[in-house]
Amino acid sequence: MTVQERVEKLLAQMTPAEKAGQLTQYFYFRLPPDAPGPVLEFDRDEQPRMVEARLGEGLVGSLLFLTDPAEINRLQRLAVEGNRFGIPALVGFDVVHGLRTVFPVPIAMAASWDLEVIEAGQAVAAREARAVGIHWAFAPMVDIARDPRWGRIIEGAGEDPYLGAAVAVAQVRGFQGQEMGTPERIIAGPKHFAGYGYALGGRDYDEVDLSDSQLWNVVLPPFRAAIEAGAGNVMTAYMDLNGIPATGSGWLFTDLLRDTLGFDGFVVSDANAVRNLVTHGFAADLTDAGARAVNAGVDMEMAISGAAYAHLPEALEAGEVDMAAVDASVRRILAAKVRMGLLDDPYVDEDRARQVLADPAHRDVARVAAERSAVLLRNENGLLPLDATALGSVAVIGPLADSPRDTIGPWVFDFDLDETVTVLAGVRARAGGDRSGPGAATPDHAVRVGYARGVPVVQREFPSLFDMFGGNTPSDPDGFDDDAEFRRAVDLAAGADVAIVVVGEWQNMIGEMASRSSLELPGRQLELLQAVVGTGTPVVLVVMNGRPLDLRWPAANVPAILDVWYPGTQGGTAVANLLFGDVSPGGKLPFTWPRTVGQVPMTYAHTISHEPENQARRYWDEASTPLFPFGYGLSYGRFTYTNLTVDEPSTTTRGTVTVSVEVANTGDREADEVVQLYLHQRHGTASRPVRELKGFERVTLAAGESRTISFPVGPDERRYWNAAVRDWVTDASTFDVWVGGDSTADLTTRFEVTK
Ligand code: GLC
């Protein structure tokens, strides 16, 4: 039987209640016994009991928040035995940047601009997830973000639609393989549709007002690319979009997502977002909320408790929703289960799960990803790479340097902290002769590696869901004395040949429900850094972050700055390899890095407005240029760009030209460069951004090596959605082209486009 035939055979026999059950997904929480509560609106024991009862009644089509294969098998058995047709539950989870092997956070992976690394990372994540019984990732998060006060900037690919679309495709391919149902792969679920990253004031969940131009030219391209790559699922967004709750918007999920973008997979709501249609003042009650979400095209409801879709039989009775709409959703859910092979084999092999999770090859993939994600922001006088053979002592300073939990960042739940390599552990293993740690090198010369926290951890006032499940940053040791420890750190630095100071945000200060009104380094970290610099010991600053932070002082006073993000399970090994030169940093910023929070939202792809000559000085009190531009990053090589050419001086609006450039590594060692192409349309039927990324390629060049890189520039690169005519246009115009190592590239040429 074909997929559709199997689906129709089941559907024809199902009652309204059984159909509603297939459309209902429940969290299955097993809160840690010591978890503070009640943070959630339910009793910690009642929720799992309720879910198990519903499973037994055939009223649950999907589960989330499970990672243990034995538990998944146990609950799957309840699901299979709980309905007349033996239909298993679809198990989804936030496999955002790895499961047991934790990769750098998504913004870091985007900073690698290395699509192969990104795809390989998500393929490992998929393999681990599928092995434990998870069938579906609530990822990639493809929300464009240009306001770093919004904590979820960490989960996406930054500010740019072209980079965001390329990263989305790589992630979907990594998760799903060539198609949904590929062995050892899982369903990819791009989220959150749509516009979530434009939250008012950067405040998570707040409303979004989005112009058509921003929606079509900036927000949708990553979703369109993910859908064209075959993503099997899309998740709704929490907030109001232009006054309508996204999760209740038929325009968004039927007219736009399905009819216009051609999405043929299934849609899931975000957590409680259907029942919250009542909170939004949109639905009158849960029955109304469920009817309106199904009518909008939201196939499955993700619920913590009190599912609105449990009221669908009443809504059908009352005529608030048609059976045809319910059946359409049930078909999509059943088709996903059939294509994932669940009806043939719903359980997992628990022994095999343990083997897959322990696969050392996965750790190597994570280490390479961390090495390729790091961005070198400053390297005055070539302080980096450090020469371990020439160093007697190194001081490692800062609480983040020795925090396994922070090293792996937010949105992780199944990690093994004992296996996590911190920056301190990585430096000791690489240079300190410590041969015990994972990834230990065996240096001839052992450097004395001292450590001091220096400053206290900044704790969140209230525990959040994520702290409970994701674990929190450990608090300070008993008897921690601020000032004494501060002085100890400074003294340690004073006596060392070099100081490696690790600063940033604690991992629970970024991500969901973690917007900030400031971008300053939390706590006394800047004060500590200034005191360490004041000792005269050369300082290397290592930044652990997921958003741009206020680094104005370090950018002017610290000779070397390496952004390592939250680098994951193998992070410390990767950071040490970068600091000591085993590999060269080659990442580039996936967002514009502002000087101060007063400048945001900010993007390099702005239009030229009034008085362009003072574009750099729009504020009375601060430059309006960024601290570091989009696409920026240094390396241990030195790259030059020459011979920028266009194969044709002119083409038609349907034509394509080829832009070529010669890149040379004039440095003394092999290094990577991300060659970037930017385009600007000089005139036409709309104001167009001063520059837009329209091509990139990461290349590795040996010392002295040069290579010619070419990019096609055709209608796809030049077209844009025009708000006046409300359609895609490709204007005849003069086009400027820049090619270089970041968005300020000055090597330029141009070509003409005629009708
Ligand atoms: C969260 C997030 C969403 C996540 C879901 C399940 O609130 O908004 O991205 O996938 O709930 O954890």
Side-chain angles (χ1 to χ4, degrees), residues 27 64-65 94 138 152 191-192 235 238 270-271 302 411 512:
F27 280 77
L64 77 143
F65 248 71
D94 290 287
F138 306 137
R152 302 197 77 169
K191 63 184 183 182
H192 306 79
M235 183 183 290
Y238 277 130
D270 203 337
M302 178 190 290
W411 278 114
E512 186 171 355

Side-chain angles (χ1 to χ4, degrees), residues 325-341:
V326 171
D327 286 352
S329 292
V330 176
R331 283 192 181 92
R332 294 184 194 115
I333 300 304
L334 292 179
K337 293 183 177 182
V338 173
R339 291 175 66 188
M340 289 300 288

